[in-house]
Amino acid sequence: MSVVNDPITVRLLDIYRIGLGPSSSHTVGPMRAARQFRLACFDAGFQPARLRVLLKGSLSATGRGHGTDRAILAGLCGWEPETCDVDDVQGIVERLAADPRVAWGDASVEVRPEDVRFLPYLAYKHETLPHPNTMVCQALDAKEDSVFEQTWCSVGGGFVRQAGEEGSDFQRPPPSAPRYPFATATDLVRHAETEGCTLGEIVLRNEESWDGTRDSVLAGLDSVWNAMRSCIGRGLDRDGVLPGGLGLKRRAGELLARVERGEVEAAYGAIARAQAYAYAVNEENAAGGRVVTAPTNGAAGVLPGVLVEASERLEFTRERIHSALATAAGIAMLIKTHASLSGAEVGCQGEVGSATAMAAAAMCETLGGTVRQAEQAAEIAIEHNLGLTCDPLKGLVQAPCIERNAMGVAKAWSAAQLALHSGEGHLISLDRVIEVMKRTGDDMKREYKETSEGGLAAVSLPEC
């Protein structure tokens, strides 16, 4: 296992962030980093004439397709991904091109679209980047000299950190050690078995010990659940072509219509409906709509696809939904700590692979599985996503990303069923497979990690 042995203190509601598509690491993270740079300038008392942001690594290679420039401009204006107006973000480049003045205390600062610069690889090829998603934020004086500078890394799932810092920007650091400390899946399972509860209940009890009550976190989970369902509803109601130039049509509504007309095999019906829900979420994400990172935007469709379909069919209680979401988050906490949730760091195994593991564990528990079976379901799901590359065409979170989420739904269901019915006791532990995920990501060539330089992204599209 990883050398990280301290108890995990990632907060539950930091796993699920309500923000804008199409990418948690390329949209949500950069917006938050830019906003924190703005606040740091205020704290330091700087009144710059102009702001500039230099993008390196994957942020430079695929940032245009992810709307990274719009997100950074919004962050420099002080906007937050959870609360900003989606339409305002979509139109921010045009607005600032016409008038670059942005309020800055009692004065203003110039924020020009062209000052968010996508640096070519040759410009930084001799540097050792602190992370594949790196951005350098600069405050310039009237002579365009830098008077204040910070380097930020978007480390996946909307989390960011300054270069040189350990961990990432957990917004609400816990005030004390967790009630049930766990650094590994083995620890988490042991606590749950000792207490006779689910994996998710251990996560919830830790939150309760930190906050004194679980009311606020349950209200937060209600908001997450409502946002997931609303996103599915919006995605099913819309048609047309997704932005970006691939000409990819929205298909979620049509897929669901086929299910409801009985045009799919009856045995496949539940999975097909869940896949239509996953399509709906990821099509909304690709269009820059509001989604929930679960654990990233690029993989946001798997967990809601599985859980919303199952909750409708099996009539989950509010308590059951809370437990399922908390169990899924516990799996994400382990992966984030010991591997990565970033496609730019470990490939899509860290995104769709992680989401599939989260959904598999949650589904297994809601169907009556033991905590060991839930752990096994997560392990199976990751094991069969090992080596999955991140290779979006044209840097857009559309192809093959949307279909990969639908396939993640099917894999999550299969992993849950295998864990439930193949007998307890498996050769490979969840801890071990997470370690292998990290090593596989480290060994993966950079072309296959969200650069659009390898894999499917490097294959020429046929003329139609």
Side-chain angles (χ1 to χ4, degrees):
M1 194 62 195
S2 166
V3 296
V4 179
N5 295 312
D6 294 334
I8 293 173
T9 55
V10 181
R11 302 299 297 269
L12 173 56
L13 293 178
D14 285 339
I15 293 295
Y16 301 116
R17 302 194 181 208
I18 301 172
L20 301 185
S23 172
S24 51
S25 59
H26 285 59
T27 309
V28 177
M31 185 187 296
R32 297 186 62 249
R35 182 176 183 274
Q36 292 196 33
F37 173 69
R38 173 189 169 97
L39 295 176
C41 286
F42 285 155
D43 290 342
F46 287 112
Q47 176 60 61
R50 192 168 175 177
L51 301 177
R52 182 168 62 199
V53 178
L54 309 177
L55 302 181
K56 301 178 181 181
S58 180
L59 291 182
S60 175
T62 64
R64 294 188 189 278
H66 292 79
T68 302
D69 52 345
R70 293 194 303 270
I72 288 173
L73 293 171
L76 293 177
C77 288
W79 302 352
E80 299 181 84
E82 295 84 358
T83 58
C84 65
D85 185 280
V86 175
D87 293 332
D88 285 347
V89 174
Q90 295 301 318
I92 195 169
V93 171
E94 294 74 18
R95 183 178 73 81
L96 291 177
D99 181 2
R101 291 173 300 176
V102 169
W104 194 270
D106 296 330
S108 66
V109 63
E110 285 194 0
V111 178
R112 298 178 179 272
E114 61 268 26
D115 282 338
V116 178
R117 301 184 182 180
F118 296 86
L119 298 184
Y121 178 57
L122 290 177
Y124 58 86
K125 66 177 294 185
H126 298 299
E127 296 180 33
T128 300
L129 298 182
H131 188 274
N133 293 326
T134 295
M135 53 190 278
V136 181
C137 302
Q138 299 174 328
L140 309 178
D141 62 16
K143 296 180 181 179
E144 297 198 0
D145 294 325
S146 178
V147 295
F148 183 63
E149 181 173 305
Q150 289 183 332
T151 297
W152 285 87
C153 305
S154 180
V155 299
F159 290 92
V160 297
R161 68 163 184 256
Q162 283 195 63
E165 290 185 347
E166 294 295 328
S168 56
D169 68 323
F170 306 138
Q171 290 180 311
R172 299 164 301 109
S176 61
R179 178 181 175 187
Y180 296 97
F182 66 92
T184 65
T186 300
D187 296 338
L188 182 58
V189 168
R190 184 181 67 253
H191 285 311
E193 287 186 326
T194 300
E195 296 298 316
C197 63
T198 66
L199 301 177
E201 178 61 22
I202 293 298
V203 174
L204 288 170
R205 289 183 187 182
N206 281 342
E207 292 288 336
E208 184 177 14
S209 69
W210 286 325
D211 291 347
T213 174
R214 66 173 65 185
D215 292 347
S216 62
V217 74
L218 295 185
L221 289 178
D222 287 338
S223 296
V224 164
W225 183 246
N226 290 334
M228 287 178 170
R229 295 175 63 203
S230 295
C231 186
I232 290 172
R234 290 193 309 272
L236 291 173
D237 286 342
R238 299 182 181 184
D239 54 20
V241 177
L242 293 171
L246 287 180
L248 196 66
K249 294 182 179 179
R250 288 181 181 255
R251 293 190 284 173
E254 178 185 351
L255 287 172
L256 183 61
R258 289 177 178 273
V259 174
E260 293 183 337
R261 289 196 299 264
E263 295 177 7
V264 303
E265 293 291 335
Y268 174 57
I271 294 177
R273 181 178 291 271
Q275 288 178 320
Y277 290 174
Y279 258 83
V281 171
N282 285 92
E283 287 171 353
E284 274 296 287
N285 178 62
R290 199 177 301 281
V291 300
V292 177
T293 60
T296 68
N297 284 31
V302 181
L303 184 63
V306 169
L307 289 186
V308 171
E309 185 284 326
S311 72
E312 292 174 347
R313 181 167 45 85
L314 302 175
E315 299 182 345
F316 287 178
T317 62
R318 178 173 178 255
E319 182 180 20
R320 198 174 184 186
I321 291 167
H322 291 161
S323 182
L325 290 172
T327 290
I331 301 300
M333 292 171 187
L334 291 164
I335 297 171
K336 174 173 174 52
T337 301
H338 297 289
S340 176
L341 303 175
S342 170
E345 197 166 20
V346 296
C348 198
Q349 59 174 351
E351 297 204 27
V352 168
S354 298
T356 303
M358 293 166 65
M363 197 64 222
C364 184
E365 280 197 349
T366 60
L367 294 176
T370 66
V371 292
R372 289 191 179 273
Q373 287 173 325
E375 181 231 4
Q376 182 178 3
E379 180 276 319
I380 292 170
I382 295 178
E383 180 183 342
H384 296 287
N385 278 288
L386 287 175
L388 187 60
T389 58
C390 184
D391 49 358
L393 274 63
K394 294 183 67 175
L396 300 169
V397 189
Q398 297 181 20
C401 316
I402 296 174
E403 283 186 355
R404 280 187 180 166
N405 276 258
M407 289 302 298
V409 166
K411 284 186 176 182
W413 263 102
S414 296
Q417 294 298 326
L418 284 172
L420 284 168
H421 302 298
S422 61
E424 289 199 28
H426 51 296
L427 292 176
I428 305 172
S429 69
L430 177 56
D431 289 324
R432 174 60 176 160
V433 81
I434 291 174
E435 180 182 4
V436 174
M437 174 197 283
K438 176 67 166 61
R439 291 182 179 179
T440 302
D442 289 345
D443 290 341
M444 192 180 293
K445 293 178 65 177
R446 64 172 293 277
E447 288 84 358
Y448 297 101
K449 294 191 282 190
E450 209 168 4
T451 62
S452 287
E453 296 174 1
L456 294 174
V459 178
S460 298
L461 292 175
E463 295 293 335
C464 299

